[in-house]
Amino acid sequence: MWIERKALAAEIPAAAALDTRQLCELLAALGFPVDGVASREGGDVLDVDITANRGDAMSHRGMAREVAAKLGQPLTPLAPPPVAEGAPKVPVRLESPACPLYATALLTLNPGLGGGGTPVEAQAFLRALDASAKGLPAVDASNELLHRYGHPTHAFDADRIRGAVTVRWAVAGEKLVTLDGVTRTLLAQDLVIADEAGPIALAGVMGGDGTKVTEATRRVLLESAWFDPKTVRATARRHSLHTDASHRFGRGADPAMAAVARDLLVDRLRTWAGATLEGAWTAGALPAPAAPVTLSEAMLVRVAGEPLTLAEAAEALTRLGCAVVAGSDALAAQPPTWRHDLAIPDDLAEEVLRLRGYEHIPSVLPPLEGPPQRLSPDYLLRRALARRLAHLGFHQTVTYGFISPEADAAFAAPGNAPEGRTLANPLGREYSVLRGTLLSSLKEAAEQNLRQGTREVRLFEVAPTYSSGPAGPEERFTLGLAWGGTQGGEDYLSPARPVREADLRGIAQDLGLAVIPEVRGLGEGLFGFEAPVADLPRPGERIVSTFRPFSRFPSVERDLSLLVDLGQSYGALATAMRAALPADALQDLRCVDVFRHKSLPEGRQAWLIRLRFQVDRTLMGSEVDGWVASALAAAEALGAKLRT
Amino acid sequence: MDHLLPAEILEADRAFPEALAACADLDALLRLKGAYVGREGSHAARLMDLLKAAPKEQKRDLGAAINGLKQGWEEGLTARQTELEAAKKRLNALASSWDPALPPPVPARGALHPLNRLMDRLVEVFRPLGFHVEEGPEVETEAHNFDGLNIPEDHPAKASSDTFYLAAHPELLLRTHTSPVQVRTLLRVAPDLHRLGGIRFLAPGRVYRKDEIDPTHSPMFHQVEGMLVGHGIGMQHLKGTLEYALRALFGPHTEIRLRPSYFPFVEPGCEVDVSCPLCDAQGCRVCKGSGWVEILGAGLLHPNVLRHAGIDPEEWSGWAFGMGVERMAMMLSQTPDLRLFFENDQRFLRAMGGLD
Ligand SMILES: [Zn+2]
């Protein structure tokens, strides 16, 4: 909200002694940070940030109250020439508890008589706040009062109101054209001002077009009421109609200001537009004040962290406008009519600290009352997994949890219907489904990297994926990994070669995944897999495992170069050879080289199979020979031949 | 017929396989060969002398035994020689291209994401104070995301213009902050709170708000929530903890500043600024010349939040804070565009996240 320094100083003269920077610091320390300062014709104007609980501060007067309380200096008295009330000139009926108080006045405008219209100072004030003057004194005065004193008022063209004025709930389906020219269809929860023909204003939000003040207006009916904040908020939200008035009524206006604002408005119309008061009257009464709030000394000291006294607290609260009765171990504070946010003892404690300055709060480490808890195994597992993959050369990505239905369908499990994971109000179709797979996101990131000219892309993400369940999307942490491009070739000893599917299977195996996931082709030379993090081996509870003896005798390695068909299954061959060998002696069996060349027989390739044996004694050459012969025989049964 | 052979020869035969395996290169093998089957002084030579000197009737048996031994040794030696020669050939091939002046092969290096690194670091900073990590789902109930946090029923954040809801489950939404982890954790530990002696934890995680993607907004971002519940907890404990943590994060000379503010789930509430770590509080572009940077929102727990979890606010009190991870990462790194954190360019990730 814009606050003009000059207008602020008019409410709290002591503020004139502060320069702009000092004023900004003082406001920030009170909880009103200044987002920016603009230089306007009347001097500096501050863009003050006001939190949603402080509707009372949304005016120059409101801000001045805060400054006055902080400085301990007086406010300029607010004393408009009193307006004598009389019998209603127009009957006003209040039919809803959402409007307990409605002050009004009827005036005749006499533009020919003395009134020169909106004064230049008022116009400049409005311009400084980015609120333009309309040149209609009734409208400009209402607007000026709102910014200066915070209480929204409204002026109707009295000659366009038919019969009595009623504040009532709308009849569902009723229509109202608001000042912005939009036709609003009302709900039964909307509070309206109505005449005998129908609604003439949305209460506390916006006036109606049919009764608005124009240059032709000769008589005005003023409204200075108090409306229930919740009702105003709901109507403003329903009709997407957020106005200066709805912001203030919606956060809680000061009911005591209703009559004062009416009197101020009457005074301005008299002096600005030569208006004649026909009559002033009020329907309803001030709502009952909130109950006093009790603050104990114990709580004050606990919150503040130092031995503040009730006397100090009473002094601070009194400065803020509370009526305080101090007892021996607690005080009772009656909040002022403008503070709807002071409802519990904690609120009072905050006010005492706030006025005193948060910079005085001591700094103390909280004592440990119980033993610290461990980090959860799941969390540690994920953290260790990320570090491990980063050390293996992979880059951790962070991608959005929602993707397009097409991207989801490309890799999500077939049974995982997207309907249960679809957002009602996505940013767009491409962000509409809570993903059942990480691979689409990784594919996109990987391809983007490859397009940028990266030789090799290695990415991974550890993030939740979703599956549709009866009670909503079920969430589980998933590891996704993508690898593509050219591996190696970055130094003179490592030859370059394309990344292959097998490389990813190797990673999956190395991670110890219980089930080796399917490696999917994500694109040209780009592969990926994903697996639930729960499939990763959990680190054991034991810090050091139980000792298991191992052989200290030397192992014996033998290589077998086998000619096999090009289509030969390695798994079948390895299984057959293993079956032919004593399980307790065979330590390892693996293919260490593949040789394909035209010198080999047509349709054949050579596999170099390495066998490693070890037992709990020195192996005899002859027994190893026997085993190797058995393994060879098993291979030969599958069509392999020893290459010579 | 072993009784015909001297004990030391039998011992040498038993040791042969191990000795053979121990030969790491051809020179060692040559030495072993000399010792077992060399022309002079070897085990084989000694056996030949033995055979010559043996009585005639033993010569046949002894000869067979000696031949058996020699054959075993020779076969072993030949096989090992083949292996070692192949290995040597491989080494030679490498050695021919190896050049100490060229840069050596360096293992490929990946990186953690900078946002994850920052969250990990925060956890490390708070660990010594006894904080552990609590986590919660990203798909939350309206009750946990709003109601349990004293957020009024008609709060604008609940609107579908601000929060993502699930089409098939209108009561479910994507959490808009990590604060529902407070609600879940308090509900869980409430019955045990005396035994535990209160609770203190961090809750890092992803959150969602319906913001269009631009250089300073993202519909998904990260927060770290911190919470502590104990006896007699006041603003001094919040300030003390944050002062410790932010100094651990930004350096020992860091100053912090609390300013009054408002969040529905805390009372009193505050914003916390740190002295600008980039200019040493001298004033720069990042701190807009003020020397201070806003870093998080915090406050003492609103009694309604404790009550909602069945915890008596007359006995227990506590504080909570919430910190935007992207905001801090952008500030520390002076990254100009938030979208870079979600593009996952390897160059960015390596430069920003790294690994140490
Ligand atoms: Zn700076």
Side-chain angles (χ1 to χ4, degrees):
Chain A
M1 199 190 67
W2 289 112
I3 294 289
E4 193 194 41
R5 267 194 64 193
K6 199 174 64 179
L8 183 73
E11 303 299 323
I12 162 77
L18 304 173
D19 65 25
T20 300
R21 199 181 54 82
Q22 290 168 324
L23 184 60
C24 290
E25 277 175 11
L26 183 125
L27 291 177
L30 283 165
F32 304 100
V34 177
D35 290 341
V37 178
S39 274
R40 302 269 161 86
E41 53 187 306
D44 285 347
V45 183
L46 317 183
D47 182 8
V48 183
D49 197 4
I50 296 170
T51 52
N53 58 328
R54 295 300 305 272
D56 64 289
M58 293 182 74
S59 68
H60 288 74
R61 184 77 182 181
M63 209 48 78
R65 275 195 297 251
E66 291 286 317
V67 175
K70 177 78 182 174
L71 299 178
Q73 295 293 325
L75 286 166
T76 305
L78 182 57
V83 171
E85 294 208 329
K89 299 285 174 183
V90 179
V92 174
R93 286 197 293 269
L94 306 183
E95 292 187 354
S96 161
C99 177
L101 177 69
Y102 197 99
T104 184
L106 183 70
L107 295 104
T108 304
L109 303 178
N110 292 303
L113 294 176
T118 308
V120 287
E121 310 84 65
Q123 293 188 27
F125 174 65
L126 287 173
R127 267 201 309 278
L129 309 180
D130 278 344
S132 63
K134 299 276 187 291
L136 298 166
V139 176
D140 293 342
S142 168
N143 207 5
E144 185 245 352
L145 285 177
L146 175 134
H147 289 289
R148 211 180 281 281
Y149 300 116
H151 198 83
T153 54
H154 185 65
F156 297 98
D157 185 329
D159 294 321
R160 295 163 83 172
I161 295 178
R162 281 167 243 176
V165 168
T166 308
V167 185
R168 60 163 169 84
W169 297 112
V171 177
E174 262 184 319
K175 302 242 193 276
L176 169 68
V177 180
T178 40
L179 276 174
D180 53 4
V182 178
T183 305
R184 314 270 170 185
T185 304
L186 307 179
L187 275 80
Q189 293 81 15
D190 290 326
L191 189 71
V192 296
I193 320 300
D195 66 6
E196 283 168 11
I200 56 171
L202 264 180
V205 180
M206 192 179 265
D209 193 59
T211 51
K212 74 176 174 199
V213 171
T214 67
E215 276 163 16
T217 300
R218 286 296 162 260
R219 292 197 312 148
V220 292
L221 182 72
L222 304 183
E223 168 194 294
S224 184
W226 191 86
F227 300 110
D228 168 52
K230 233 176 159 165
T231 304
V232 172
R233 285 202 300 267
T235 292
R237 198 172 53 248
R238 257 196 304 276
H239 297 284
S240 297
L241 200 51
H242 300 281
T243 61
D244 285 336
S246 77
H247 279 147
R248 286 165 180 81
F249 281 125
R251 291 168 185 191
D254 177 3
M257 268 301 282
V260 179
R262 189 263 325 265
D263 293 357
L264 287 162
L265 189 49
V266 168
D267 183 52
R268 275 163 174 66
L269 290 182
R270 279 168 158 167
T271 52
W272 296 8
T276 315
L277 180 68
E278 305 284 336
W281 64 101
T282 298
L286 283 176
V293 184
T294 303
L295 172 65
S296 70
E297 192 173 60
M299 178 169 192
L300 175 69
V301 169
R302 192 260 292 166
V303 171
E306 57 180 326
L308 291 188
T309 63
L310 284 181
E312 288 170 282
E315 209 255 305
L317 293 170
T318 305
R319 276 206 225 168
L320 287 164
C322 295
V324 182
V325 180
S328 59
D329 54 2
L331 62 76
Q334 172 71 57
T337 48
W338 56 88
R339 290 297 299 268
H340 304 286
D341 59 320
L342 304 181
I344 58 172
D346 312 68
D347 296 328
L348 297 185
E350 175 179 54
E351 289 303 284
V352 176
L353 263 59
R354 190 172 69 88
L355 207 62
R356 194 163 177 268
Y358 278 14
E359 69 274 16
H360 297 296
I361 296 169
S363 176
V364 178
L365 282 174
L368 204 55
E369 296 179 48
Q373 295 186 37
R374 296 170 64 175
L375 294 174
S376 83
D378 285 346
Y379 171 80
L380 288 173
L381 178 67
R382 267 180 278 125
R383 201 168 74 175
L385 172 65
R387 289 191 181 161
R388 179 164 175 191
L389 286 168
H391 280 288
L392 284 172
F394 290 83
H395 303 81
Q396 187 174 30
T397 66
V398 171
T399 53
Y400 290 161
F402 31 51
I403 57 179
S404 75
E406 293 76 21
D408 184 67
F411 298 105
N416 187 2
E419 289 75 19
R421 303 179 272 125
T422 301
L423 295 179
N425 55 335
L427 274 186
R429 189 177 160 77
E430 57 176 320
Y431 306 115
S432 60
V433 176
L434 291 181
R435 59 187 171 183
T437 173
L438 298 180
L439 291 180
S440 285
S441 313
L442 285 167
K443 170 185 157 83
E444 194 188 320
E447 285 178 340
Q448 176 66 19
N449 271 288
L450 290 170
R451 271 198 299 279
Q452 301 278 332
T454 305
R455 276 169 55 91
E456 184 187 11
V457 60
R458 296 193 194 197
L459 303 176
F460 76 98
E461 182 154 349
V462 180
T465 56
Y466 301 87
S467 50
S468 299
E474 287 157 12
E475 202 168 317
R476 67 174 179 184
F477 274 103
T478 302
L479 161 68
L481 185 140
W483 191 357
T486 303
Q487 196 205 8
E490 296 284 339
D491 61 76
Y492 72 107
L493 289 176
S494 332
R497 65 165 177 83
V499 171
R500 301 202 195 277
E501 234 177 285
D503 294 321
L504 285 91
R505 282 213 305 279
I507 296 288
Q509 196 175 319
D510 182 50
L511 292 176
L513 282 165
V515 182
I516 298 297
E518 183 194 356
V519 174
R520 316 275 296 255
L522 303 184
E524 187 66 33
L526 178 64
F527 306 93
F529 70 77
E530 62 187 331
V533 171
D535 280 4
L536 285 158
R538 295 269 189 136
E541 275 296 295
R542 303 188 65 131
I543 299 164
V544 177
S545 300
T546 311
F547 173 74
R548 281 161 63 190
F550 52 89
S551 172
R552 290 180 183 278
F553 290 87
S555 64
V556 174
E557 267 183 18
R558 292 291 175 86
D559 286 354
L560 273 176
S561 180
L562 297 177
L563 272 178
V564 297
D565 287 343
L566 280 171
Q568 174 64 46
S569 148
Y570 173 74
L573 186 85
T575 308
M577 290 173 77
R578 279 177 197 280
L581 294 169
D584 55 342
L586 181 68
Q587 289 280 309
D588 191 36
L589 181 159
R590 63 172 70 207
C591 177
V592 293
D593 193 28
V594 175
F595 182 60
R596 290 173 191 170
H597 194 258
K598 57 182 189 294
S599 65
L600 296 178
E602 179 92 11
R604 302 281 264 181
Q605 59 180 333
W607 282 351
L608 187 64
I609 307 290
R610 179 161 298 160
L611 307 170
R612 200 168 76 239
F613 301 100
Q614 191 176 34
V615 291
D616 228 359
R617 57 185 165 76
T618 302
L619 279 169
M620 289 305 195
S622 54
E623 61 183 331
V624 174
D625 289 345
W627 291 337
V628 173
S630 313
L632 179 60
E636 281 170 344
L638 290 174
K641 269 180 76 174
L642 191 66
R643 186 173 163 226
T644 46
Chain B
M1 59 204 125
D2 282 357
H3 63 277
L4 300 176
L5 297 171
E8 61 268 33
I9 295 284
L10 292 173
E11 181 52 38
D13 185 51
R14 271 193 293 276
F16 180 71
E18 203 157 346
L20 193 62
C23 291
D25 54 37
L26 285 167
D27 286 348
L29 188 72
L30 221 59
R31 284 195 293 277
L32 189 73
K33 193 173 180 177
Y36 275 82
V37 296
R39 259 178 222 288
E40 281 168 34
S42 69
H43 298 310
R46 274 199 59 205
L47 287 170
M48 291 319 287
D49 292 344
L50 206 64
L51 186 62
K52 272 186 207 144
K56 208 172 186 168
E57 63 277 14
Q58 289 182 2
K59 270 193 198 304
R60 211 176 77 115
D61 285 355
L62 190 60
I66 288 172
N67 276 338
L69 278 178
K70 277 175 68 180
Q71 201 182 334
W73 294 341
E74 268 158 5
E75 273 175 19
L77 287 164
T78 309
R80 185 71 185 141
Q81 187 170 352
T82 315
E83 268 174 33
L84 288 173
E85 275 168 354
K88 190 177 175 191
K89 226 155 98 184
R90 282 198 295 271
L91 274 175
N92 283 344
L94 275 182
S96 64
S97 61
W98 180 75
D99 180 343
L102 287 171
V106 176
R109 183 181 165 83
L112 294 172
H113 196 282
L115 298 174
N116 286 291
R117 269 192 59 158
L118 193 46
M119 290 190 286
D120 287 355
R121 178 62 61 88
L122 281 163
V123 171
E124 278 165 38
V125 161
F126 277 88
R127 266 313 266 164
L129 297 185
F131 285 71
H132 66 280
V133 171
E134 292 283 349
E135 295 178 292
E138 293 176 14
V139 175
E140 260 297 0
T141 61
E142 214 174 332
H144 283 149
N145 195 74
F146 293 121
D147 308 342
L149 291 161
N150 195 43
I151 295 174
E153 204 182 321
D154 67 345
H155 196 275
K158 285 183 153 188
S160 63
S161 57
D162 286 38
T163 298
F164 293 111
Y165 287 86
L166 271 289
H169 305 274
E171 75 291 358
L172 295 180
L173 47 79
L174 294 183
R175 65 178 178 190
T176 60
H177 44 188
T178 40
S179 310
V181 181
Q182 286 184 25
V183 180
R184 287 176 172 273
T185 306
L186 287 184
L187 283 167
R188 193 190 74 229
V189 302
D192 261 352
L193 211 50
H194 282 108
R195 190 180 58 76
L196 294 171
I199 183 147
R200 47 180 80 189
F201 63 86
L202 293 192
R206 307 184 190 225
V207 302
Y208 295 83
R209 286 184 202 171
K210 203 173 166 191
D211 284 323
E212 294 289 342
I213 301 165
D214 70 25
T216 53
H217 293 90
S218 167
M220 184 190 89
F221 55 100
H222 297 73
Q223 282 189 339
V224 173
E225 191 88 2
M227 187 187 218
L228 180 144
V229 176
H231 287 98
I233 299 301
M235 290 295 278
Q236 73 280 19
H237 298 125
L238 174 63
K239 196 175 195 176
T241 308
L242 291 176
E243 198 167 74
Y244 158 81
L246 294 171
R247 281 180 180 165
L249 210 56
F250 296 121
H253 304 298
T254 304
E255 292 298 327
I256 75 164
R257 180 171 84 172
L258 271 57
R259 286 181 287 105
S261 191
Y262 169 72
F263 308 97
F265 32 96
V266 290
E267 189 69 40
C270 61
E271 301 268 11
V272 179
D273 299 335
V274 289
S275 53
C276 180
L278 296 172
C279 65
D280 246 346
Q282 296 306 298
C284 69
R285 207 166 44 82
V286 170
C287 58
K288 296 190 193 117
S290 72
W292 294 99
V293 204
E294 187 185 318
I295 207 89
L296 56 89
L300 298 189
L301 295 178
H302 195 286
N304 285 353
V305 172
L306 291 168
R307 257 181 228 121
H308 175 87
I311 297 169
D312 179 9
E314 295 292 320
E315 180 187 353
W316 299 95
S317 49
W319 53 248
F321 70 80
M323 186 186 293
V325 180
E326 278 80 355
R327 185 193 171 86
M328 193 189 279
M330 279 178 87
M331 190 262 287
L332 286 175
S333 64
Q334 299 178 66
T335 303
D337 192 325
L338 177 57
R339 290 171 294 191
L340 284 163
F341 288 96
F342 306 106
E343 273 170 15
N344 301 299
D345 189 301
Q346 285 188 169
R347 293 166 296 185
F348 174 82
L349 296 174
R350 251 200 300 270
M352 306 284 299
L355 223 195
D356 47 53

